[in-house]
Amino acid sequence: MPELTYREAVRDALSQAMRSDDDVFIMGEDIAEMGGSMAVTQGMLAEFGPERVRNTPISEMAIVGAGIGAAIQGMRPVVEIMYEDFTTLAMEQIVNQAAKHRYMSGGQITVPLTIRTQGGAGWSPGAQHAQQVEGWFAHVPGLKVVFASTPTDVRGLLWSSIYDDNTVLFFEHRILYPLKEDVPEELEAIPLGKARVHREGDDVTVVATGRLVHESLKAAAEAETRMGFGAEVAAVVQHQAFDWLDAPIERVGSKFTPLPFAPVMEQFVVPHPADVLDAIRKTVGRNGG
């Protein structure tokens, strides 16, 4: 099994899709010669050429709009928004166009567009480059939202996103790019919408996405046998599986404030394993554990 970083796993999924399907291409700001702001697309220009690895103007609305048009015409574009904070500049195209064409056309039109973006706190980029906005898009009918936590998952989920006939918002966390893991030799597509169980347990269920999967696993290790986006997950669980709950749902997330630039303040705002562990202990305590 080869070892890949999270960054390399994203690149591998993009490259394998482009090698196997001429309808797949990528575009975004500085993704060609520069290889992207996070070096994800380095080397892809040399392999696939400027027609399929396309630099764009600095206009998020234009990037997404062009992707929508290409998808409607039968291509499978992957567009990159440099920071997820900047999806706000393309909100009309994402929410009112990409998300609605398939429904409003009665299924005659599909928009198989993948919008890749990254962000997240932990490296002091400031309040305009560290937001995590996946929760916004999860509330928009017609969009699918993906936020992978490991190299294996990011590779398999990105492949599935590219070949989904709906628009997918694909979020990556800046802190995860160097994370290494042994991945299967053959790329394995991972179905969208199905959770991965990273650690079995009997007492508590912890649901997490992205970087917080790793923080939760650290907390689980400290809890021994007692075991954000979470608000929507909690609401769905409460509504559909209330009778299965043994204790009230606890939520762990960042404090309600713009992300500070100062590292010490940023660390105060973002969640840590201790916060997850505290929620676990509250849950177990209510359950008599």
Side-chain angles (χ1 to χ4, degrees), residues 110-168:
T110 59
V111 189
L113 169 65
T114 304
I115 302 172
R116 280 189 52 248
T117 189
Q118 65 82 35
W123 55 297
S124 301
Q128 295 172 330
H129 295 75
Q131 296 174 87
Q132 289 186 228
V133 299
E134 66 274 9
W136 293 356
F137 295 107
H139 290 273
V140 179
L143 297 179
K144 294 188 177 182
V145 177
V146 178
F147 193 0
S149 60
T150 67
T152 298
D153 286 351
V154 81
R155 190 172 69 152
L157 288 169
L158 182 53
W159 179 276
S160 296
S161 298
I162 293 170
Y163 285 100
D164 196 289
D165 283 336
N166 301 282
T167 296
V168 179

Side-chain angles (χ1 to χ4, degrees), residues 205 234-249 287:
T205 298
V236 171
V237 170
Q238 186 275 336
H239 183 263
Q240 297 186 6
F242 180 79
D243 290 339
W244 293 87
L245 297 178
D246 294 320
I249 297 170
N287 194 30

Side-chain angles (χ1 to χ4, degrees), residues 44-274:
M44 295 186 68
L45 175 64
E47 179 174 357
F48 299 105
E51 288 297 309
R52 299 184 68 199
V53 181
R54 304 178 71 94
N55 281 335
T56 65
I58 303 175
S59 172
E60 285 72 20
M61 182 172 283
I63 295 168
V64 175
I68 293 170
I72 289 174
Q73 290 298 313
M75 306 293 284
R76 291 191 177 272
V78 180
V79 304
E80 178 180 306
I81 302 297
M82 191 176 287
Y83 288 85
E84 61 187 89
D85 313 65
F86 305 159
T87 57
T88 56
L89 297 164
M91 194 67 80
E92 197 281 333
Q93 289 292 309
I94 298 171
V95 173
N96 280 331
Q97 306 303 326
K100 294 182 171 63
H101 284 314
R102 187 172 191 179
Y103 176 80
M104 294 183 69
S105 69
Q108 297 178 78
I109 294 173
T110 59
V111 189
L113 169 65
T114 304
I115 302 172
R116 280 189 52 248
T117 189
Q118 65 82 35
W123 55 297
S124 301
Q128 295 172 330
H129 295 75
Q131 296 174 87
Q132 289 186 228
V133 299
E134 66 274 9
W136 293 356
F137 295 107
H139 290 273
V140 179
L143 297 179
K144 294 188 177 182
V145 177
V146 178
F147 193 0
S149 60
T150 67
T152 298
D153 286 351
V154 81
R155 190 172 69 152
L157 288 169
L158 182 53
W159 179 276
S160 296
S161 298
I162 293 170
Y163 285 100
D164 196 289
D165 283 336
N166 301 282
T167 296
V168 179
L169 273 293
F170 196 91
F171 291 90
E172 300 156 18
H173 199 290
R174 168 68 175 81
I175 295 298
L176 294 180
Y177 282 130
L179 180 72
K180 293 182 178 180
E181 180 183 62
D182 290 335
V183 302
E185 187 74 38
E186 297 293 325
L187 190 155
E188 298 176 358
I190 298 174
L192 303 187
K194 183 178 181 180
R196 180 185 295 280
V197 177
H198 283 274
R199 173 172 172 163
E200 295 282 355
D202 298 320
D203 299 303
V204 178
T205 298
V206 178
V207 180
T209 57
R211 183 184 68 88
L212 279 179
V213 169
H214 304 281
E215 302 300 296
S216 299
L217 286 170
K218 293 175 187 175
E222 292 186 41
E224 295 175 346
T225 60
R226 299 182 178 275
M227 296 287 283
F229 184 79
E232 184 66 15
V233 174
V236 171
V237 170
Q238 186 275 336
H239 183 263
Q240 297 186 6
F242 180 79
D243 290 339
W244 293 87
L245 297 178
D246 294 320
I249 297 170
E250 290 286 335
R251 292 167 50 197
V252 179
S254 296
K255 294 177 175 61
F256 193 64
T257 177
L259 268 296
F261 182 75
V264 65
M265 289 300 295
E266 181 189 43
Q267 289 303 307
F268 173 74
V269 168
V270 301
H272 297 282

